[in-house]
Amino acid sequence: MNRKLTAILAAAAISTMAAPLGAAPASAAPPATGVSALAYGTYVVVGGLVRSGPTALASIGCTTAFGHTATGSTAAVTVPTAGSVGATRTSAATSTTTTYKISRATATTGAVNLLGGLVRADAVTGASTATLSTSGVYGGGNRAELIGLKIGGRALNANPAPNSAIPLRTSAGAALATVYLNTQTKAFSGNDWRVSTTALRVVITAQNSLGLPVGSRIDVGVANTSLSRPVVGLVSGMGYATSANLADGAVSSSRTALAYPPCTGGSGRATVATAGVPGVVSTGTTTTDVISTITATSRRSQVKSTIGAPRVLNGLISADTIVAETSAAQSSAGATPVTTDASRFVGLRITGLPSITSTVKPNTVVTVQGLGRVTLHKVTRTATSVEVVMIEVVTDRVLGSLPTGSVVRVGYSASSLL
């Protein structure tokens, strides 16, 4: 529920936000523990599109260093039709004691009024704590508190049982949604011990007069924490289909089919039937696959974005398929990192430039009349990272809502070792 609409990957992807590229080369070191923590007040998905969130994000990206804190806050915000939430405060912290390594996250919101008043609360708090003892035992706790909670006009306990589900009906008795209270997990996911809490979640389950599509979701009071098994180091990366930024760097069209490889090991996928930048880029089915493998002696990150039938300015630039694929790996502690770029075009065509084909060399720069400066298969490397943008356009004129100097990207993949 943000004043500025934001497009962000589903919550599962949010919990594995990557750190920046270009960290210093890894050196031989004993295995360490990875830690992360994040909290946010609200997250709203309507009709498959993120309409708001995460608000007041407080995040500590995956790291092996403890002793960090982060906070976030926002004033009351509203998303039309979905509802409103009061001021939000969030915090994330990592610490160590003589007996524990600890990751904590807390999100507290003010008054909640959702779905025309059918779901209300005076305040909502979600909190999670993950712990690892010096003896190697993983533990932690979840907490959800919903003061003044009312669902369908009925007052409920402020401390609901874990993973409660309550059907919600309209005043006329028609099915509308399911309200989930104190949704919590405490388990290993791949290499991570994850403790997560969502204090309040509303999922639309039926057609309704509010105009909210079935499957729309509202999350309130989210806190996620994690600690990893021993690792030689962490990984990072990101992949997406399309994006557009203004000349000053402000986001004009958010990243589509966005996915991050889990920084302590795991996999994920983001798939969309169509993606693009309105009025400038369109695509067919797009899939971004991410996978990372982390052990006590080795690590690897791989990101592959496959984009079907991309079209820039109604086919001024087009291709049958674009694959943006990178990886970064280290075979053992202290070994030299290896980065690879397996990206490629299939059926690349540019109107007026018949010499440009799918075999175009990396970092080729051309000027396309009616569009601007175009870099094809742009590659950037460091000792521990590789970043690829298959088509990058810097516009030389106004295109739709994009002013001159805007940067449009199609096919992005980045992999790195932290």
Side-chain angles (χ1 to χ4, degrees):
M1 294 180 170
N2 219 330
R3 291 190 177 116
K4 181 178 179 181
L5 300 184
T6 307
I8 298 179
L9 193 62
I14 294 173
S15 66
T16 55
M17 285 184 176
L21 296 176
S27 58
T33 300
V35 60
S36 68
L38 72 85
Y40 52 90
T42 56
Y43 186 84
V44 181
V45 180
V46 177
L49 298 175
V50 177
R51 293 301 185 191
S52 172
T55 59
L57 176 66
S59 175
I60 298 173
C62 199
T63 177
T64 56
F66 286 76
H68 294 290
T69 61
T71 60
S73 64
T74 186
V77 291
T78 299
V79 171
T81 306
S84 63
V85 170
T88 296
R89 302 184 313 278
T90 59
S91 65
T94 62
S95 60
T96 59
T97 69
T98 56
T99 52
Y100 285 99
K101 294 179 179 178
I102 304 167
S103 175
R104 292 189 176 94
T106 303
T108 298
T109 73
V112 173
N113 185 334
L114 306 177
L115 308 184
L118 290 174
V119 179
R120 292 179 176 270
D122 297 330
V124 172
T125 296
S128 298
T129 303
T131 61
L132 171 61
S133 71
T134 52
S135 60
V137 177
Y138 291 84
N142 311 81
R143 179 172 67 89
E145 184 176 49
L146 300 96
I147 299 172
L149 176 64
K150 290 184 179 180
I151 298 178
R154 180 165 61 98
L156 296 174
N157 193 311
N159 302 107
N163 303 309
S164 299
I166 300 173
L168 177 63
R169 297 183 177 275
T170 66
S171 57
L176 173 60
T178 300
V179 180
Y180 298 92
L181 303 173
N182 193 9
T183 301
Q184 55 179 251
T185 60
K186 190 160 45 180
F188 274 103
S189 176
N191 209 45
D192 280 348
W193 170 249
R194 296 182 180 176
V195 182
S196 302
T197 306
T198 301
L200 171 66
R201 170 173 288 168
V202 179
V203 179
I204 301 299
T205 57
Q207 298 296 327
N208 57 86
S209 60
L210 296 173
L212 291 170
V214 173
S216 297
R217 188 182 87 241
I218 306 167
D219 292 347
V220 182
V222 179
N224 299 327
T225 58
S226 75
L227 293 164
S228 77
R229 293 186 173 102
V231 293
V232 68
L234 305 175
V235 302
S236 179
M238 176 171 58
Y240 60 85
T242 64
S243 70
N245 287 60
L246 305 183
D248 63 2
V251 174
S252 175
S253 178
S254 296
R255 296 159 180 165
T256 59
L258 173 65
Y260 301 97
C263 61
T264 58
S267 62
R269 165 176 282 190
T271 299
V272 295
T274 60
V277 178
V280 182
V281 180
S282 65
T283 77
T285 300
T286 292
T287 300
T288 301
D289 291 292
V290 294
I291 186 169
S292 57
T293 305
I294 311 292
T295 72
T297 58
S298 66
R299 51 186 172 152
R300 177 181 174 83
S301 173
Q302 184 173 359
V303 178
K304 181 180 181 180
S305 182
T306 304
I307 304 161
R311 299 288 185 272
V312 180
L313 280 190
N314 297 317
L316 190 59
I317 302 176
S318 64
D320 298 330
T321 307
I322 290 177
V323 178
E325 182 176 4
T326 62
S327 66
Q330 185 181 31
S331 59
S332 61
T336 300
V338 176
T339 61
T340 60
D341 169 24
S343 306
R344 56 200 178 274
F345 292 105
V346 178
L348 175 65
R349 300 171 292 276
I350 300 181
T351 300
L353 295 173
S355 62
I356 299 297
T357 67
S358 297
T359 58
V360 63
K361 293 182 179 180
N363 298 307
T364 295
V365 180
V366 296
T367 297
V368 178
Q369 293 299 318
L371 187 59
R373 189 179 78 249
V374 178
T375 304
L376 300 169
H377 198 162
K378 180 179 179 180
V379 184
T380 305
R381 293 181 183 271
T382 72
T384 58
S385 70
V386 56
E387 177 188 50
V388 169
V389 184
M390 295 304 286
I391 299 176
E392 182 175 87
V393 178
V394 180
T395 64
D396 63 3
R397 65 198 64 209
V398 175
L399 296 176
S401 62
L402 297 179
T404 300
S406 296
V407 179
V408 178
R409 288 178 162 183
V410 182
Y412 181 94
S413 176
S415 300
S416 70
L417 306 179
L418 303 179

